Amino acid sequence: MPSITEPKLISGNANLPLAKAIARRMSIHRGVSTGLVDARIERFNDGEIFVEVFENVRGEDMFIIQSTSNPANDNLMELLIMSDALRRSSAARITAVIPYFGYARQDRRTKARTPISAKLVANMLVEAGIERVLTLDLHAAQIQGFFDIPVDNLYASPIFALDIKAHFAGRMNDLMVISPDVGGVARARELAKRINAPLAIVDKRREKPGEIAEMTVIGDVTGKTCLIVDDICDTAGTLCKAAEVLIENGASEVHSYITHGVLSGPAVERITKSVMKSLVITDSIEAPDAVKAAPNIRIVPTAPMFAQAILNIWNGTSVSSLFETETLDPIYEGTFKL
């Protein structure tokens, strides 16, 4: 049954452009003007974060839009403190919309005496008063089980499928989806099924973190236009090396579709100089000027999907319907036309 309260959006500093785009999209979907709740987020001289909300939120259905991207600790603290401020202001429900969930790569103990930081972050979010989480392409699906509250994990593959069908029209039979490691096969297979393309794997072996000893292509990529699919691109070392190995094994072109463009350190320079024709990322993390200026990096929007997901949560209707291309197609109508 639809709620009688209005959905209200509030944003931290992590990705204001995305938050404003979501608000615009919600206004279009509803035909009612939706803006961001007026608030200020300040830092004291010692770096402490202070939040003040200027609008009445008592009894309201609140959605905090905040990626926990770089600087991860500052953005995470902003999210926690905003939630505490809203809870103490008697908000009816607080949903954290976290397009990029930081610390997700620390989802298990890989060695003795190491933390499971993703679980710690989950505990902190719940303790701060958050009652629901909406995120995009979690690094590990089992992180949903770290929470004792509902977690809606959206997928970028339907958006990528729409982009691929627009940009590779007439060449769909030449496409092959590539998983850059064995662990990402399920994600790559999902996109391959959506575009009806075959699947191959680049098997990598590491001597130690950050260094790749050997890469082997499992599958025949000769003459294929290869699409590498992954959830996170950080320094881009593995991605660029995989592209080189694919070309060496006979691929005609290599493109990459990565959900979260962390792109730290030398990543942009590596991608610009690599054999990849294009890297497509989402706007889950606000892109710096260097990324926007890179000639072979494109950014696809997630605001239409997040806006609809927020409205579905507010209305109490299905979020999983957004996993289907048929559902997203009208939401993204005109976005991917060449």
Side-chain angles (χ1 to χ4, degrees), residues 159-299:
I159 305 174
F160 287 159
L162 292 174
D163 184 86
I164 290 166
K165 288 173 183 176
H167 282 82
F168 295 95
R171 302 168 53 194
M172 297 296 291
N173 291 335
D174 298 330
L175 300 182
M176 176 172 273
V177 175
I178 309 293
S179 174
D181 53 46
V182 174
V185 169
R187 182 180 296 106
R189 185 186 295 120
E190 171 66 19
L191 181 60
K193 287 167 63 177
R194 288 181 183 276
I195 63 173
N196 195 27
L199 177 67
I201 303 168
V202 176
D203 181 39
K204 63 186 177 188
R205 299 182 184 180
R206 295 181 187 269
E207 293 294 330
K208 57 183 179 180
E211 293 186 9
I212 301 165
E214 181 183 354
M215 277 190 167
T216 306
V217 178
I218 303 173
D220 184 9
V221 298
T222 306
K224 292 290 186 179
T225 297
C226 292
L227 309 178
I228 302 175
V229 180
D230 209 351
D231 63 324
I232 297 173
C233 177
D234 194 344
T235 60
T238 300
L239 187 65
C240 293
K241 178 64 176 176
E244 290 176 11
V245 171
L246 289 167
I247 293 295
E248 290 169 3
N249 279 262
S252 60
E253 290 181 10
V254 178
H255 303 261
S256 296
Y257 281 81
I258 311 293
T259 306
H260 307 296
V262 177
L263 302 180
S264 57
V268 175
E269 182 181 359
R270 282 175 174 170
I271 292 164
T272 303
K273 295 179 178 178
S274 74
V275 297
M276 274 189 299
K277 286 290 187 73
S278 69
L279 166 65
V280 180
I281 58 175
T282 74
D283 56 358
S284 63
I285 298 172
E286 184 176 2
D289 291 339
V291 172
K292 294 176 183 176
N296 59 342
I297 299 179
R298 285 193 296 111
I299 302 172

Side-chain angles (χ1 to χ4, degrees), residues 9 11 15-29 34-36 65 283 301-308 310:
L9 309 181
S11 176
N15 198 339
L16 269 172
L18 176 57
K20 291 176 180 177
I22 291 172
R24 285 195 301 271
R25 276 288 176 167
M26 285 180 63
S27 300
I28 293 170
H29 292 338
T34 302
L36 299 176
I65 302 171
D283 56 358
T302 58
M305 180 171 64
F306 273 114
Q308 190 62 55
I310 289 170

Side-chain angles (χ1 to χ4, degrees), residues 25 28-29 158 162 304-305 308 321-322 324-337:
R25 276 288 176 167
I28 293 170
H29 292 338
L162 292 174
M305 180 171 64
Q308 190 62 55
S321 63
L322 296 174
E324 302 301 325
T325 305
E326 292 79 9
T327 308
L328 280 185
D329 205 5
I331 298 173
Y332 276 88
E333 190 173 4
T335 302
F336 299 112
K337 303 301 180 186

